[in-house]
Amino acid sequence: MTDRSRCRNLVLVLGDQLTPGLSSLKRADPARDRVLMVEVVEEATYVRHHKKKIAFLFSAMRHFAGELRAAGWQVDYVRLDEDGNTGSFRSEVVRAARRLTPDRIVVTEPGEWRVLEDMRGWSEPLGVPVDIVTDTRFLCDLTAFRAWASGRRQLRMEHFYRDMRRRTGLLMEDGKPAGGKWNFDADNRRPAKPDLFMPTPARFEPDRTTQEVLDLVGRRFADHIGDLEPFRFAVTRAQAETAFDHFLESSLADFGTYQDAMLRGEKFLYHSVLSAYLNAGLLDPMALCRKVEAAYQEGRAPINAAEGFIRQILGWREYVRGIYWLKMPGYAGENALDATAPLPGFYWTGNTRMRCMAEAITQTVEEAYAHHIQRLMITGNFALLAGVDPHEVHEWYLAVYADAYEWVELPNTLGMSQFADGGLLGSKPYMSGGNYINKMSDYCGACAYDVRQRTGDRACPFNALYWDFLDRNAHVLRANPRLGRAYASWSRMDADQQAACRRHAAGFRERLAAGETV
């Protein structure tokens, strides 16, 4: 602890607010105010977060505290294992306020509804005002998003994204989209082949601070999911920027073309693997977009790669945050398809005969990372087809990925992946049988199941589950024009084929519920 003299403002900085230009810090004076940062067990366990996720955040927090001290700030930093640590944001702020007797508490608005609701009740027990200030690190503030959404019949990301392109000027030429199109997603669906020269993300050896955190996490969270080591995350702003520069030079050019591809043994392909750093505040979203735009303008990256990367940040990231705050708290309880099955146990272990699921989940256990197609079209697709309770799916994604915070994860899971919001985010459910997985990966060739079979002992489970999903949910989905072709194909099957699909899917789901290895 630093000296215990009284301070004017006590500025609480959260673990995903590791940004020197944070709005709460801009309102403070290093000479008269004090920064408080806390590692608390409540935040590490409200879902059982992956060991690497906890270690990344605690190490990045400790390094950021050092960065602030070097810039002249007084920082009170409470470590998880420190004597007297009371275990929650509220109780640690109360403890610090009693010690420092500040005139007020200042904090940048948090990224999760539950934390914001808690903060709104802090003033009374503290006996001082609590100023919750706007988070200015995003490219579309929430007031602007609400204005965009107001009066619209559909809140489609593509419409929002085009508006953001116009507003920021990113990839715009004389008022028109660079390359003549807004979206080059159709060019970004090529399968990849094994390549001895496949790039890898930048990796960083743990320093003394990180090793101390790894030892702590290994002791305190041994029963949480995930491998703790090897640990190669960036934990400082400089390291995160190095990781981005490495992606820019080694992977961006091929990122677009192969962004939907999946290969056995290749965890990262051409992906940036930057989202954990971006969502924790170590990277600036506009700076990333401008550098990628410059790479396109200088001929170092094709338009489909630059546009695909920028769309993920300027489009999806900003859009899902807007949806989250627009629709919470009720959004978390959405379940439009009335899915109630429990999450299969193999989601925590990867112990399944389905090669695609085993690859995606084992990688998640090892790295606290899987790319967006693995999340959407493998683990998410399976949960959707199997009728898993979307809230359980949500809590799994929130726990296992290092980049997952509720503001970004919940809409992606409930809306995009599980269609639990009934079509607010997506115009149709994102689902497929085994054919899509076979097209975009090499998983099926090494699988115990046969992707060409719909029913039978060796039939790929995705196939019968796909048709059974359409049949079970026809009362909700049949009128969807984007599913017209799928329902027409189902209708063309004879009664025996349909019945066989139903029986096979029902039997498979019964085995799942019984905890059998599938």
Side-chain angles (χ1 to χ4, degrees), residues 72-379:
W73 291 94
Q74 298 181 79
V75 181
D76 274 27
Y77 193 99
V78 181
R79 298 188 175 202
L80 187 79
D81 55 354
E82 185 172 309
D83 289 343
N85 186 329
T86 53
S88 73
F89 286 147
R90 177 189 285 246
S91 58
E92 278 305 299
V93 172
V94 168
R95 194 163 71 105
R98 288 173 180 165
R99 184 173 69 250
L100 300 169
T101 61
D103 295 331
R104 66 182 57 242
I105 309 296
V106 180
V107 60
T108 293
E109 60 191 356
E112 299 198 0
W113 179 272
R114 65 179 180 86
V115 180
L116 179 61
E117 283 296 283
D118 188 42
M119 285 180 175
R120 287 170 172 164
W122 285 3
S123 184
E124 184 174 346
L126 289 169
V128 296
V130 176
D131 292 350
I132 303 173
V133 298
T134 298
D135 191 341
T136 57
R137 298 174 299 164
F138 291 86
L139 307 182
C140 179
D141 66 59
L142 297 178
T143 299
F145 187 87
R146 292 188 188 100
W148 173 83
S150 179
R152 289 179 181 265
R153 187 173 62 87
Q154 292 183 325
L155 302 180
R156 293 288 178 253
M157 190 283 293
E158 184 67 24
H159 302 152
F160 170 78
Y161 169 58
R162 294 180 185 188
D163 190 53
M164 289 296 291
R165 289 271 295 277
R166 295 185 188 98
R167 189 184 310 178
T168 61
L170 282 163
L171 292 180
M172 298 296 290
E173 297 172 352
D174 297 324
K176 297 180 180 180
K181 294 193 297 185
W182 291 103
N183 185 317
F184 287 82
D185 198 41
D187 298 333
N188 294 346
R189 297 170 182 165
R190 285 181 59 184
K193 295 181 180 180
D195 185 346
L196 292 174
F197 301 101
M198 189 79 70
T200 57
R203 297 171 179 175
F204 304 89
E205 290 297 321
D207 63 7
R208 180 177 178 180
T209 296
T210 298
Q211 192 58 57
E212 289 174 353
V213 169
L214 293 173
D215 293 342
L216 170 68
V217 172
R219 292 194 308 271
R220 291 291 298 271
F221 305 103
D223 58 345
H224 281 220
I225 188 174
D227 296 349
L228 186 56
E229 298 184 86
F231 185 91
R232 299 290 185 262
F233 281 73
V235 292
T236 68
R237 184 169 329 285
Q239 287 180 342
E241 289 171 350
T242 295
F244 172 71
D245 290 341
H246 176 76
F247 162 73
L248 203 66
E249 296 305 316
S250 69
S251 303
L252 175 61
D254 290 308
F255 162 72
T257 301
Y258 300 110
Q259 67 171 309
D260 288 3
M262 297 168 283
L263 286 175
R264 281 179 286 136
E266 290 290 351
K267 300 174 181 177
F268 309 110
L269 284 90
Y270 299 96
H271 289 273
S272 69
V273 199
L274 297 171
S275 52
Y277 312 146
L278 182 61
N279 292 348
L282 295 177
L283 293 173
D284 174 72
M286 181 56 81
L288 302 190
C289 290
R290 290 296 183 198
K291 288 182 179 180
V292 168
E293 179 187 46
Y296 161 68
Q297 292 170 339
E298 294 163 7
R300 293 184 289 123
I303 184 63
N304 67 309
E307 188 276 321
F309 182 90
I310 288 171
R311 178 162 24 95
Q312 288 188 353
I313 294 177
L314 184 67
W316 267 115
R317 185 172 186 266
E318 297 292 325
Y319 170 75
V320 296
R321 177 177 182 257
I323 291 290
Y324 177 81
W325 288 109
L326 185 69
K327 297 299 182 180
M328 283 295 281
Y331 194 77
E334 295 281 2
N335 190 356
L337 300 179
D338 294 322
T340 58
L343 186 77
F346 64 72
Y347 270 74
W348 301 100
T349 65
N351 182 24
T352 171
R353 297 168 63 220
M354 292 177 284
R355 174 58 63 181
C356 58
M357 294 290 285
E359 288 280 337
I361 295 169
T362 299
Q363 170 181 324
T364 297
V365 171
E366 292 173 349
E367 305 291 348
Y369 170 82
H371 71 68
H372 67 289
I373 293 298
Q374 291 173 307
R375 300 188 202 193
L376 180 65
M377 298 306 298
I378 304 295
T379 53

Side-chain angles (χ1 to χ4, degrees), residues 409-435:
E409 174 275 327
L410 181 67
N412 269 305
T413 301
L414 261 63
M416 185 71 170
S417 173
Q418 300 302 295
F419 204 70
D421 65 5
L424 177 69
L425 258 73
S427 57
K428 71 174 184 67
Y430 277 81
M431 59 185 183
S432 78
N435 186 55

